[in-house]
Amino acid sequence: MTADAIPRRRLLLIRGLGHSGTTILDLSLGAHPQLVGLGEAARILERPAPGDESRGPAQLRRELRFKRCCTCGAIAAQCPVWGPMLEWLPAHDGHSLAEKTLRLLDGVKTNHPEAVWAVDSYQDDMVLPFLEDPDLDIRIVHLTRDIRSWVHSRTRDGRRRRQWLPGLKPLLRWCRVNARQASRLDSTGRPVYRLGYEQLALDPEASLRRLCQWLEIDFDPRMLAPAQHSNSHILSGNRMRFDASRGQSIRYDGAWLQQPSGLAQVALLFPWVARLNRRLVHSDD
């Protein structure tokens, strides 16, 4: 693809249930010189609802921007991408999410002229800033974790407290949210790339090579060591974004293999659950 053929703004949305690997994928993509990770950008840009004054996005419009660090190493107020945006937001919160997103992407383009894609990894399938702009190319990565692994990770506390059926609510949540996300994302008309967390974590190079091909950019080996080569500007997201040891490489959490997966394993006996898990996690899409 020639430089003239690349749209002025390109936005990649990572969507998936929380604790499915969205943060490490965002960091990994942000290690590519042509990609800039923005973390849960939509969460920050959305106008805080009444009662949310004490939450991070609202606080970042005020004193928190002088305390919280960005993954670029600067205090939020001094970050070249987020600093001007956070100063502008309080007086312009009435603008649509689409308008705010375009302004943020302009900031990315100004500070990272080599970047081809900006990456938003907000874990909410209903927040999709699909902007009607002829210069904007939006694509979606739908990241899903195997039902057995995800349910196991979300029931650890319940098992320690000896709750009755601690995996039931997580199991129902996995089924409900992932089915809804798949349907919602497919209905957008935007290109959707299905990626399983297991594929990414167990074979990161092959997974990232395929994803780069889909994004029409060359694979860069720096993506395999996100913490060492980050171009990201992440203010909101999983705390692991600042954990250098966890970000040194992409590793699989296989703790669920050491214990019976209980309800999640039984749920796979239902054909529609097994099909959903296979299509979202173990397909070659």
Side-chain angles (χ1 to χ4, degrees), residues 12-285:
L12 178 66
L13 304 177
I14 301 175
R15 292 297 183 264
L17 194 57
H19 303 278
S20 294
T22 53
T23 299
I24 190 63
L25 178 58
D26 192 340
L27 288 170
S28 181
L29 292 175
H32 193 294
Q34 292 181 291
L35 290 153
V36 176
L38 298 172
E40 297 182 352
R43 182 168 180 261
I44 297 174
L45 297 177
E46 277 193 304
R47 184 174 190 169
D52 286 347
E53 292 80 10
S54 63
R55 293 182 177 272
Q59 291 294 315
L60 279 169
R61 289 159 166 75
R62 299 193 295 273
E63 64 274 6
L64 186 59
R65 65 191 171 107
F66 299 104
K67 300 176 182 178
R68 178 172 290 184
C69 283
C70 176
T71 53
C72 71
I75 297 297
Q78 298 173 355
C79 168
V81 171
W82 279 111
M85 195 73 203
L86 294 174
E87 184 177 357
W88 177 86
L89 272 175
H92 301 87
D93 251 333
H95 289 229
S96 68
L97 178 60
E99 293 175 294
K100 295 174 184 177
T101 302
L102 285 174
R103 187 178 183 91
L104 180 63
L105 294 181
D106 284 341
V108 171
K109 193 68 177 177
T110 299
N111 291 280
H112 296 274
E114 73 289 351
V116 176
W117 291 95
V119 185
D120 172 287
S121 59
Y122 188 29
Q123 297 164 4
D124 189 332
D125 60 308
M126 302 309 291
V127 179
L128 300 166
F130 293 126
L131 317 181
E132 298 300 327
D133 187 310
D135 291 332
L136 187 68
D137 179 4
I138 295 181
R139 302 187 192 183
I140 309 164
V141 174
H142 187 195
L143 183 64
T144 312
R145 188 171 176 177
D146 186 282
I147 187 172
R148 294 160 294 186
S149 173
W150 192 87
V151 170
H152 179 273
S153 74
R154 305 317 302 148
T155 57
R156 287 170 177 165
D157 288 341
R159 286 193 299 270
R160 282 195 291 266
R161 293 195 296 267
R162 299 185 180 277
Q163 291 180 348
W164 183 74
L165 290 180
L168 182 58
K169 285 186 178 179
L171 171 63
L172 295 176
R173 176 169 172 75
W174 187 99
C175 294
R176 175 176 56 83
V177 174
N178 282 313
R180 182 187 67 181
Q181 282 188 333
S183 175
R184 169 82 168 109
L185 297 179
D186 287 342
S187 70
T188 63
R190 299 287 183 170
V192 178
Y193 187 92
R194 308 282 184 205
L195 177 61
Y197 167 72
E198 277 64 25
Q199 291 177 322
L200 173 66
L202 293 172
D203 195 358
E205 181 170 343
S207 297
L208 291 171
R209 282 185 181 277
R210 288 193 295 267
L211 182 54
C212 285
Q213 184 177 20
W214 184 71
L215 293 172
E216 302 171 87
I217 58 176
D218 293 330
F219 169 76
D220 192 301
R222 285 174 286 190
M223 301 171 74
L224 299 173
Q228 300 175 38
H229 306 286
S230 177
N231 296 315
S232 295
H233 294 274
I234 301 178
L235 289 178
S236 178
N238 192 301
R239 290 193 182 113
M240 74 160 289
R241 66 191 188 275
F242 292 118
D243 190 334
S245 62
R246 293 177 65 188
Q248 286 181 350
S249 62
I250 302 174
R251 299 185 297 272
Y252 183 58
D253 177 5
W256 71 275
L257 295 169
Q258 308 301 318
Q259 297 182 19
S261 46
L263 287 175
Q265 186 65 52
V266 173
L268 288 175
L269 297 176
F270 291 88
W272 77 270
V273 176
R275 284 195 300 270
L276 184 65
N277 193 60
R278 185 168 54 251
R279 180 167 76 91
L280 300 184
V281 182
H282 302 288
S283 71
D284 292 323
D285 187 0

